[in-house]
């Protein structure tokens, strides 16, 4: 069974530029999550989708971050414009459903903002 | 809001010695509790999960954890450390339900001395 796929694996941009990350969850997984992991910290939830609807985006900085999962399968996370403090690893995870199911994580995208 | 505290950002043990990684959570109701492991430049892998079925949970790679409601703890143990156990370990909590994004602790870096 293929795991959660993410691309790109690494990205370097200058501040005020925009960037987009892509995630393809495990086939059949209805729930998709995006987490931000700053160096030396645990991951922090940014947004949770159930199929193509947003369940929780309370910690998403909506002035610069956006995410979509239009067809209920893959998802994109965008930052525009980027700030230095956005340097982090962005992790995508998926699960069969909400309610305590195991979340499977992708390898992450490491973003460096200079 | 729920929170997770991991005592000790770094833990060092000798190969063959007992591993004990501490995790305390704050929650008004029994949550779902997880331990994840992260190897360098990789995503997170689930070690084990507590979902109220049994207080002692056995996971992969010889790890286990005990849920103690009275102490709001979920400490991770392994009887005999192996060099391959060197990694970052994260404790996480979820309330289940529809919005079940994980809240992670800051992580504990496990160092294995030869």
């Amino acid at each position: 069974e293929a795991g959660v796929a993410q691309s790109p694996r690494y990205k370097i941009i200058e501040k005020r530029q925009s960037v987009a990350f892509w995630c393809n969850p495990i086939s059949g997984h209805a729930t998709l999550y995006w987490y931000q992991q700053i160096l030396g910290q645990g991951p922090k939830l940014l947004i949770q989708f159930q199929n193509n609807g947003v369940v929780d985006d309370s910690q998403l900085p909506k002035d610069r971050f956006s995410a979509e999962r239009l067809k209920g399968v893959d998802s994109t996370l965008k930052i525009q414009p980027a700030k230095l403090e956005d340097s982090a690893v962005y992790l995508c995870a998926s699960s069969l459903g909400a309610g305590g199911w195991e979340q499977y994580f992708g390898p992450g995208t490491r973003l460096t903002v200079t | 809001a729920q929170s997770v505290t991991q005592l000790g950002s770094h833990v060092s043990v000798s190969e063959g010695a007992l591993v004990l990684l501490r995790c305390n959570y704050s929650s008004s109701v029994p949550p779902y509790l997880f331990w994840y492991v992260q190897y360098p430049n990789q995503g997170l892998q689930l070690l084990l999960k507590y979902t109220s079925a049994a207080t002692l949970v056995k996971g992969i790679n010889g790890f286990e954890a005990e849920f103690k409601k009275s102490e709001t703890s979920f400490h991770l143990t392994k009887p005999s450390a192996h060099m391959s156990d060197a990694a970052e370990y994260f404790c996480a909590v979820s309330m289940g339900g529809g919005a079940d994004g994980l809240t992670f602790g800051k992580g504990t870096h496990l160092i294995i001395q030869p």
Side-chain angles (χ1 to χ4, degrees), chain B:
Chain B
Q2 59 205 16
S3 66
V4 175
T5 302
Q6 291 184 241
L7 294 177
S9 59
H10 292 78
V11 170
S12 181
V13 302
S14 299
E15 189 174 19
L18 172 71
V19 174
L20 171 60
L21 304 183
R22 300 179 186 274
C23 172
N24 289 87
Y25 67 93
S26 67
S27 172
S28 58
V29 296
Y32 294 97
L33 292 160
F34 305 80
W35 275 99
Y36 280 86
V37 61
Q38 186 175 37
Y39 298 99
N41 298 315
Q42 294 187 27
L44 287 84
Q45 180 183 11
L46 181 69
L47 282 176
L48 48 81
K49 179 176 81 169
Y50 168 75
T51 58
S52 78
T55 57
L56 183 62
V57 182
K58 295 187 182 297
I60 62 172
N61 301 338
F63 285 95
E64 63 182 36
E66 186 174 8
F67 173 70
K68 292 186 176 181
K69 183 179 179 180
S70 60
E71 299 177 7
T72 59
S73 69
F74 191 56
H75 302 329
L76 182 71
T77 60
K78 182 174 180 177
S80 177
H82 191 272
M83 295 299 291
S84 61
D85 294 328
E88 193 81 15
Y89 291 79
F90 292 96
C91 182
V93 63
S94 164
M95 297 314 300
D100 68 340
L102 298 172
T103 298
F104 285 87
K106 291 186 176 182
T108 298
H109 186 63
L110 178 61
I111 301 163
I112 310 297
Q113 305 280 6

Side-chain angles (χ1 to χ4, degrees), chain A residues 13-51:
Chain A
I13 63 172
E14 296 181 351
K15 59 183 179 183
R16 292 187 291 273
Q17 286 187 323
S18 62
V19 65
F21 313 127
W22 175 81
C23 171
N24 188 252
I26 293 172
S27 177
H29 281 197
T31 311
L32 185 147
Y33 313 79
W34 283 101
Y35 291 86
Q36 179 194 58
Q37 185 177 18
I38 293 173
L39 186 64
Q41 298 182 21
K44 183 185 82 171
L45 178 71
L46 292 176
I47 189 167
Q48 175 188 345
F49 290 95
Q50 180 72 18
N51 297 309

